[in-house]
Amino acid sequence: MGFTANQWAIVALVLVLGWLLGLLSRSGGAKWRRAYEEEQEARIAAEKREQAAHEHVAELERQLAGRPIGPGTAAAIGAAASGTRDDLALIHGIGRNRETVLNEAGIHNYRQVEDLSATDAEILETRLGLPSGTIAREEWREQAALLRRGEIEAHRTRYP
């Protein structure tokens, strides 16, 4: 029992219509299109963040343009690279900003802080914009002595 030409035509037509119906009802195309659009939005957002970061960097560079690097900065960098520089910010009352000023003034280690004379301390207080007597009141010399000797725990206990 064989198929007639009309029956073969109907089978072919049903197969083609089934294939077209399958393509039309497939949701995969929409899924890929959605993924593409999300990726495109994410890329645009990343480019905007990058542009904002570049603008921020340019603004910071404009702000710093009038501030040349101080003469002590190169010495501070050299001292840090050679390992002869102590972390002066561990001394309570100094902090990172004042440490930079101290480094620019040629003070790089605990021994130098410990050996400050009263006159040197006054000059340094003026340079840092501190009230007179701050170095003595906050006991920078004593703290430097403890840290130089490696008595870090004693320093933490005495100067919390």
Side-chain angles (χ1 to χ4, degrees), residues 68-116:
I69 295 175
T73 304
I77 292 170
S82 67
T84 60
R85 179 185 159 281
D86 292 325
D87 189 3
L88 299 178
L90 292 177
I91 297 173
H92 290 282
I94 291 182
R96 293 291 171 209
N97 291 335
R98 289 183 181 155
E99 180 184 29
T100 303
V101 175
L102 289 173
N103 288 336
E104 289 178 352
I107 299 172
H108 304 289
N109 55 50
Y110 299 133
R111 172 64 78 183
Q112 291 172 306
V113 174
E114 196 177 348
D115 293 342
L116 285 174

Side-chain angles (χ1 to χ4, degrees), residues 15-158:
L15 288 175
V16 169
L17 287 175
W19 177 68
L20 287 174
L21 184 61
L23 285 177
L24 293 175
S25 66
R26 218 174 97 185
S27 63
K31 178 178 75 174
W32 290 111
R33 185 172 37 261
R34 239 185 347 267
Y36 171 76
E37 289 169 355
E38 289 171 1
E39 180 67 27
Q40 190 175 24
E41 289 172 6
R43 184 182 50 81
I44 290 169
E47 288 174 355
K48 286 180 182 178
R49 284 192 306 272
E50 181 184 9
Q51 181 62 30
H54 285 298
E55 290 171 2
H56 184 67
V57 167
E59 177 61 29
L60 290 174
E61 288 175 346
R62 278 192 296 278
Q63 289 175 1
L64 294 175
R67 299 183 195 165
I69 295 175
T73 304
I77 292 170
S82 67
T84 60
R85 179 185 159 281
D86 292 325
D87 189 3
L88 299 178
L90 292 177
I91 297 173
H92 290 282
I94 291 182
R96 293 291 171 209
N97 291 335
R98 289 183 181 155
E99 180 184 29
T100 303
V101 175
L102 289 173
N103 288 336
E104 289 178 352
I107 299 172
H108 304 289
N109 55 50
Y110 299 133
R111 172 64 78 183
Q112 291 172 306
V113 174
E114 196 177 348
D115 293 342
L116 285 174
S117 68
T119 306
D120 292 336
E122 285 181 34
I123 293 169
L124 198 54
E125 287 168 343
T126 302
R127 187 171 186 171
L128 293 170
L130 298 172
S132 182
T134 300
I135 291 176
R137 191 172 42 261
E138 293 181 353
E139 300 180 347
W140 286 14
R141 293 180 193 94
E142 293 81 0
Q143 292 183 59
L146 284 173
L147 292 168
R148 183 186 53 79
R149 291 191 303 262
E151 298 177 22
I152 296 173
E153 197 55 45
H155 178 265
R156 284 186 188 143
T157 304
R158 189 169 171 190

